[in-house]
Amino acid sequence: MKECLDTCGYDKTEPQMVEVKPAMRADNWLKVMKAKLKDGIQMVVLLLPGQKGKCTLYDDVKKYLLTEFPVPSQVVLVGTIAKGKNLRSIVSKILIQMNAKVGGIPWAVDGLPFMSEPTMICGMDVFHSTALGKKSVLALTASMNQSATTYWSTSVIQDEIGQEGSTTLQNGMINAFDSFKKHNGAYPARVIFYRDGVGEGQVQGICVPEIEQIKAAIAHHGRKDSTKLMYI
C-alpha cells in the first residue's frame, strides 16, 4: 500500500490499525466501529474475511457506515489478497476507488465536446423502492467542473406510489445551478441532461413536463435566453 501511494503521489498519514476478534461476528465489527470511529476520519478500510459473493458481514458494516456513521469506506476481502498474486495491481485499483470516494479525480477525458463554455452535465433516474411501499426515489447529479469529474448530487423520496415522472426536478435543478455558480463564479451556458429509465411511449407524459421544469429552473436564475438545454 505504501509503495503504491508513493508511486501515485498521494498524500498520506499513518493509518490507525484496529483488530476485530472474533472476526466472523457482525456485532463485533459494529462494536469496534462504534468505539473507534471519531469525527474527522476521512476513510475507513475494512479487511473482511471471506470471498467475493460469500461475505456475510458486508451488508451489516456497509449499512452502519452509510446510515449511522456516514463516512467513505472501502471493503477489501481477505480472499482477494490472500494468495498474494498480482497484489500491487489489486492495491493500485483499490487506491483508485478510495481516491474517488473522497472526492479525488482518478482520471479525466481530454477535449470533451461542448465544454468550451461553462457546461453542466446532468444525469437523472428514478428508482421504485419496495422497501418504501413502492414510493419512488429520484436521483439527480450535475457536474461542477470543466472536465465533468466533480459532481453535486441529491436524492428525493417522491410522495406518489410508483411515480416515475419527477415533480421535484425544478427545485433540484435550481440547487444544482446555485452549486455550479458557487464552484465556477458563473451559471452554466449549457446544460446537457441525460434522463434514464423512460420508454418511447412515456416521452409526452414524463419527458415533456420534466423539460418544462428544467426550463423553469433556468428562468428562475434569469438565464432563459442565455443557457442552452440539451435533453437526452
Side-chain angles (χ1 to χ4, degrees):
M1 178 71 80
K2 290 181 179 179
E3 291 177 2
C4 291
L5 285 167
D6 291 337
T7 299
C8 295
Y10 291 160
D11 294 332
K12 61 183 183 298
T13 56
E14 195 68 24
Q16 179 185 8
M17 308 289 286
V18 179
E19 188 174 3
V20 178
K21 288 184 177 181
M24 295 303 297
R25 292 174 56 92
D27 55 342
N28 287 339
W29 284 87
L30 299 179
K31 181 179 179 180
V32 169
M33 286 192 291
K34 289 176 181 178
K36 297 295 183 179
L37 293 181
K38 308 295 182 184
D39 291 341
I41 289 177
Q42 188 179 20
M43 164 74 72
V44 177
V45 180
L46 302 141
L47 186 59
L48 297 182
Q51 297 180 342
K52 187 175 182 180
K54 298 181 180 180
C55 180
T56 58
L57 300 169
Y58 183 90
D59 289 346
D60 291 317
V61 297
K62 275 291 190 177
K63 181 180 179 181
Y64 179 80
L65 294 171
L66 285 169
T67 59
E68 297 190 44
F69 193 95
V71 64
S73 62
Q74 180 68 44
V75 170
V76 182
L77 298 178
V78 172
T80 303
I81 61 175
K83 295 181 180 179
K85 294 182 179 179
N86 303 317
L87 193 57
R88 187 179 180 89
S89 175
I90 292 170
V91 172
S92 294
K93 292 176 181 178
I94 291 171
L95 282 174
I96 290 172
Q97 294 180 50
M98 293 169 61
N99 176 44
K101 288 177 180 179
V102 296
I105 303 172
W107 51 67
V109 177
D110 291 332
L112 283 174
F114 305 108
M115 304 302 277
S116 57
E117 296 182 282
T119 299
M120 185 169 72
I121 301 176
C122 304
M124 176 184 148
D125 199 359
V126 177
F127 171 70
H128 305 292
S129 173
T130 55
L132 296 171
K134 294 187 178 180
K135 285 188 177 181
S136 300
V137 181
L138 177 147
L140 173 67
T141 186
S143 65
M144 292 289 113
N145 64 349
Q146 189 175 10
S147 58
T149 49
T150 59
Y151 283 82
W152 169 94
S153 65
T154 188
S155 60
V156 180
I157 298 175
Q158 302 190 119
D159 292 330
E160 296 182 22
I161 302 296
Q163 180 181 349
E164 176 65 40
S166 167
T167 59
T168 56
L169 179 56
Q170 181 177 340
N171 287 336
M173 289 300 293
I174 288 173
N175 293 333
F177 263 68
D178 289 338
S179 182
F180 190 94
K181 185 177 182 181
K182 181 179 179 180
H183 282 80
N184 298 280
Y187 291 118
R190 296 190 183 101
V191 174
I192 302 173
F193 195 97
Y194 288 92
R195 175 59 156 102
D196 194 16
V198 179
E200 291 185 12
Q202 298 174 297
V203 171
Q204 289 298 319
I206 294 177
C207 296
V208 172
E210 288 180 355
I211 291 171
E212 293 304 314
Q213 288 190 64
I214 298 170
K215 288 181 177 179
I218 293 171
H220 175 84
H221 291 96
R223 302 283 301 179
K224 180 179 179 181
D225 298 321
S226 50
T227 293
K228 298 177 181 179
L229 170 65
M230 181 187 298
Y231 183 98
I232 302 172

